[in-house]
Amino acid sequence: MSNTLTHPELAALIQARAGVVIDPVDLERPGASFDEFGVDSLGLLGVVGELENRHGVKVTNGAESAKTPAEFLELVNSAFTAKAGA
């Protein structure tokens, strides 16, 4: 298992946890925001919980409030990187 969350993995998690289907390519678009996809903080909280359970890592507080996929991935992947270096 890789220590970085990718756009396709994020799209799959959002579909599983928030019930929203998003093309991973759309998540990569500069300026893309969760609002435009209909993903709210509650949906992201579900994604964060799944990631924490799956990876045994505490994801940075505030990840569920990320406004963009890029911001979310940066927060999550920095938590994974910190764990890997711990």
Side-chain angles (χ1 to χ4, degrees):
M1 183 178 300
S2 97
N3 279 333
T4 54
L5 181 66
T6 64
H7 289 95
E9 290 167 332
L10 178 57
L13 282 165
I14 289 171
Q15 182 174 350
R17 291 286 160 206
V20 178
V21 178
I22 305 171
D23 185 326
V25 173
D26 289 335
L27 290 175
E28 296 181 49
R29 193 178 71 246
S33 74
F34 286 123
D35 282 346
E36 72 185 86
F37 301 121
V39 178
D40 60 12
S41 60
L42 194 60
L44 287 179
L45 197 57
V47 171
V48 168
E50 178 68 22
L51 287 168
E52 289 180 342
N53 290 339
R54 196 179 284 183
H55 294 274
V57 175
K58 177 79 177 110
V59 174
T60 309
N61 284 336
E64 72 281 354
S65 301
K67 300 295 181 210
T68 67
E71 181 185 0
F72 185 82
L73 287 170
E74 185 178 325
L75 290 167
V76 169
N77 287 329
S78 68
F80 288 170
T81 302
K83 182 195 177 200

